[in-house]
Amino acid sequence: MELAFLSPLYEHPGSWASAYIDLSQHDEDMEHRRHLTAEAVARRLREEGADEATCRAVYDTVDALRHSTEPYGRAVFARNGEVVLQVPLTQAPPQGLVHWGTLPHVTPLLDLAGEDPVSLVAYIDRTGADFELRSAVLQEEAGHVTGSRQWPMHRAKATDWSERHFQLKVENTWEHNAGEVAEALAACQAETGADLLILCGEERECRSVREQLPQPLQDRTVSAEHGIGSRLLPGEVEDIRARHVRERVLAEVDRFRAARTPDEERRAAAVEGVPQLVEAAREHRLAELLIRPDAPDTHREVWIGEDPDQLAARRTELRNIGEQHAWPARADDALVRAAVVTNAPVVSLTPVLEEAGDEVAAGGMGALLRWK
């Protein structure tokens, strides 16, 4: 997951309020329930030591969501009496996920707002295709392409030369139109930035389109098993998207496991465990951070300075490198901050726990390194 959108959270030092608000229930008691939620969040922040101005800013923001029709929820981050960032969620958060601390508590976003690939669905037939954008919170038409050759479309039985000649024309028509669909699909992907392409139609037509896509797009293209002749149901799209996410995360897990093996000089291209991760982050060596958000090491206390690369497993370590000010922080939030400011992606291991097991990395966190 690319987390550059979190950069505003790391531009100013100081304590932060983080609140994850469930907006998934829509009924006649919605407004009253959300008002009570706003009060509960502000009360919880006061109990944890937040200043009154920040409590009020969060209360006003949450209370203003009384009429929201968002399907899942929103994360709210505030400091010094100001809400700095709000993030729409793609899953409903658990109740009471509120935090006051030295850093914004962003790790839950990896599961609640992350890995939501925007999918570009192409409904393909022999004459062209309809395009549709789909995500957890989006479904909209994205265009249409009609092949320039509309005849002939149907194959005859190849019983003599003329019919075989006609059949060849049909094949040529299909291939020509598939090329135009592939070209239009690639252009639509470039315009929308879709992460995943889903082809829906007869197997042969989908295969012809896929084969004429640029190779980088072929690698992110799948064919739907259902939906031929009709629109894919939300559940079908969600299954395809979830499978895509799992496969992508499993590939990263395989990379991590391979990189963890030391080379002939006993150096590894991956590390695990809080002390090693902190050292790598301090040296700007994080290439990709892997986290299981509910793992034991995420809660471990580390020490941070004002700058993202000022972090240590022990307070004395910061003093040894010349940092005079130090504050305690959660290990996961400190490491995510270091990853964000150095443009390192962060991957949640939650989608692959069943396949990969709980202990992909010791303590639930690991990292691929930029250099050994």
Side-chain angles (χ1 to χ4, degrees), residues 35 41 70 81 106 115 142 201 236 241 290 317 341:
H35 173 70
V41 168
E70 294 178 32
V106 299
E115 296 300 335
E236 294 174 316
R241 293 168 64 249
L290 285 73
E317 293 178 22
V341 300

Side-chain angles (χ1 to χ4, degrees), residues 305-322:
E306 291 187 0
D307 296 329
D309 58 0
Q310 295 172 337
L311 70 164
R314 299 179 180 84
R315 187 171 189 172
T316 53
E317 293 178 22
L318 279 184
R319 292 175 178 169
N320 291 340
I321 61 175

Side-chain angles (χ1 to χ4, degrees), residues 157-297:
K157 292 181 64 176
T159 57
D160 57 30
W161 182 89
S162 62
E163 289 176 342
R164 287 195 296 272
H165 182 68
F166 182 84
Q167 179 176 323
L168 181 59
K169 287 186 176 181
V170 170
E171 298 285 352
N172 290 339
T173 297
W174 286 3
E175 289 300 315
H176 178 85
N177 287 348
E180 293 186 342
V181 170
E183 183 178 355
L185 184 59
C188 189
Q189 186 279 330
E191 181 179 349
T192 61
D195 305 287
L196 176 65
L197 305 183
I198 302 175
L199 308 184
C200 184
E202 296 291 344
E203 179 181 356
R204 183 169 185 170
E205 295 158 5
C206 291
R207 184 173 63 251
S208 294
V209 170
R210 180 171 185 165
E211 289 173 350
Q212 297 188 65
L213 286 169
Q215 185 61 52
L217 292 187
Q218 290 186 32
D219 296 338
R220 62 171 71 180
T221 300
V222 298
S223 295
E225 297 179 1
H226 307 289
I228 296 174
S230 62
R231 289 298 187 260
L232 290 177
L233 297 175
E236 294 174 316
V237 176
E238 180 56 34
D239 288 344
I240 294 171
R241 293 168 64 249
R243 185 166 62 249
H244 171 74
V245 169
R246 286 196 303 271
E247 291 173 353
R248 188 165 61 185
V249 176
L250 281 172
E252 296 307 304
V253 168
D254 289 343
R255 284 184 61 210
F256 171 77
R257 285 173 168 163
R260 194 169 48 183
T261 303
D263 60 16
E264 295 178 354
E265 298 179 1
R266 297 186 178 181
R267 296 183 301 177
V271 294
E272 57 190 336
V274 170
Q276 291 79 14
L277 288 166
V278 164
E279 180 181 358
R282 194 164 57 231
E283 297 172 352
H284 296 195
R285 289 192 293 145
L286 298 181
E288 181 175 87
L289 186 63
L290 285 73
I291 293 181
R292 179 161 63 88
D294 62 346
D297 274 1

Side-chain angles (χ1 to χ4, degrees), residues 294-370:
D294 62 346
D297 274 1
T298 60
H299 303 269
R300 281 189 55 175
E301 182 180 84
V302 298
W303 291 86
I304 64 169
E306 291 187 0
D307 296 329
D309 58 0
Q310 295 172 337
L311 70 164
R314 299 179 180 84
R315 187 171 189 172
T316 53
E317 293 178 22
L318 279 184
R319 292 175 178 169
N320 291 340
I321 61 175
E323 177 57 36
Q324 299 301 313
H325 304 288
W327 299 272
R330 288 175 55 115
D332 55 352
D333 291 329
L335 289 167
V336 169
R337 178 177 73 154
V340 169
V341 300
T342 55
N343 298 315
V346 183
V347 176
S348 170
L349 298 174
T350 301
V352 300
L353 290 183
E354 184 176 342
E355 296 96 327
D358 290 350
E359 291 302 321
V360 173
M365 295 193 294
L368 290 158
L369 302 179
R370 287 192 166 109

